[in-house]
Amino acid sequence: TNTKKIASWSKSKIRCYEFLNMTSRSFAAVIQELNDELRDAVCLFYLVLRGLDTIEDDMTIPIEKKVSILRSWEEIIVTDGWNFTENGPNEKDRQLLVEYPVVIEELKNLNKTYKEIIFDIAKQMGNGMADYATNAAHNKFGVNTVKDYDQYCFYVAGLVGLGLSSLFSASGLESPEVGRNTKLSISMGLFLQKANIIRDYLEDLDDNRRFWPKEIWSQYVNDLSDLKDPEHKKQAINCLSRMCLDALQRAPDCLTYLSNIRDQKIFNFCAIPQVMAIATLAILFQNYQVYQKNVKIRKGETLKLIQKATNILNVIDIFRHYTRVIITKNNSRDPNFLKISIACGQIEQSC
Ligand code: PS7
Ligand code: MN
Ligand code: MN
Ligand code: MN
């Protein structure tokens, strides 16, 4: 039972799971359902990346300091007793970094293969985040091209997909193929990250974080922040369509990836965030409120999705449903109307 397990757990391991529950709304439950060995590896992988992201997200840390921490993350996570107490008081996960030695301690208990996967991804992500934090400090437009946008999303989410797939294969619960098909793993991360970046337009802009690529928004307005001005409403909706189109192009890969997963618990862990992402894209699409507040799917809808996303047929059903929602909202006067119809058609074809 759960209490029996916990009785033999070290203080630091218990604290790690408390932090998982404190810092993640969407992943905590599904991670804890995974089989024992994999569960600890994924929990610690999560906390390693959550710590890194807490440094990346804090706009009160001076840029030189931030970059130096991001670039040395791989060494930091093997440095006994390392912690960080200088996050701004508004940083929601600052306590994790205050007590970071518990994560560093528990990482030591993982087997070598899992550790190597986690360290390798942490190193790449920290350096990628540092590149973009530096760019953000010098380029007031933020991310420039669509290619840069893909690259940023690769660093912060594609790499998570690669790392998780390697962990799944290393556990023996999934075939080596899951780890080998890197394009599909990267798309799993990009689909989540892109839905997140579109949804967080306003929140990120308020923090002066600009992830929407200039190559896209410059076709509609002179500055990213102009999108929220009511005088540019029509352009704003069209730009939003373009961003949604870009994200939707990853959906077929996600369905293919999920169709290759065999373990029930790994399936739930992978599928739940993906169905939330397609549902999110469906409510964001053609929705001007994106520029006025943080649009979120309703609690009840989230609950239904979590309960349903337990096998590939149901997941296909969910993707079909939200694709229909998008097709219904698609507007023939939108410059991307045709491309969006095609992207939706491709999702339905891969269903
Ligand atoms: C290891 C479970 C399942 C093959 C902390 C899960 C930022 C969207 O952008 O802070 O800061 O607003 O809300 C999760 C692929 C990553 C991608 C990533 C690690 C799925 C730090 C999640 C999660 C790949 C980098 C939300 C990508 O954070 O976003 C584990 C397969 C962390 C996954 C960031 C973003 C996650 C995210 P933001 P949030
Ligand atoms: Mn971030
Ligand atoms: Mn974040
Ligand atoms: Mn975000």
Side-chain angles (χ1 to χ4, degrees), residues 51-71:
L52 188 59
D53 187 48
T54 304
I55 300 289
E56 192 213 20
D57 288 357
D58 190 336
M59 301 306 275
T60 72
I61 305 173
I63 183 70
E64 300 79 20
K65 172 135 204 182
K66 178 185 282 195
V67 164
S68 128
I69 297 173
L70 294 174
R71 291 212 189 278

Side-chain angles (χ1 to χ4, degrees), residues 16 39-48 103 106-107 110 118:
C16 283
R39 185 191 55 210
D40 290 348
V42 174
C43 173
L44 290 168
F45 189 32
Y46 178 85
L47 294 174
V48 162
V103 176
E106 282 308 308
L107 275 168
L110 291 181
I118 293 172

Side-chain angles (χ1 to χ4, degrees), residues 105-150:
E105 206 47 44
E106 282 308 308
L107 275 168
K108 294 177 186 169
N109 298 330
L110 291 181
N111 78 39
K112 191 158 171 277
T113 311
Y114 291 151
K115 259 192 286 205
E116 281 172 357
I117 293 166
I118 293 172
F119 293 168
D120 171 53
I121 299 294
K123 178 183 183 172
Q124 294 188 62
M125 189 183 292
N127 283 296
M129 281 176 168
D131 293 347
Y132 278 83
T134 309
N135 172 69
H138 299 287
N139 180 353
K140 68 180 174 119
F141 295 124
V143 174
N144 193 23
T145 65
V146 173
K147 208 169 156 226
D148 295 338
Y149 175 54
D150 274 8

Side-chain angles (χ1 to χ4, degrees), residues 25 27 31 42 45-47 49-51 53 56-57 92 125 129 152 155-158 160-162 164-165 168 184-185 188-189 192-193 196-197 199-200 203-204 209 211 257 269-270 273-274:
R25 288 141 288 138
F27 295 113
I31 290 176
V42 174
F45 189 32
Y46 178 85
L47 294 174
L49 302 184
R50 177 52 66 210
D53 187 48
E56 192 213 20
D57 288 357
K92 64 178 178 53
M125 189 183 292
M129 281 176 168
Y152 174 74
Y155 285 135
V156 300
V160 188
L162 288 178
L164 286 170
S165 297
F168 299 159
L184 299 182
S185 298
M188 288 285 284
L192 302 186
Q193 188 64 34
N196 178 304
I197 283 177
R199 187 198 62 195
D200 293 346
E203 190 182 286
D204 287 337
R209 294 145 54 79
F211 299 120
Y257 181 93
F269 167 67
C270 293
Q274 301 295 323

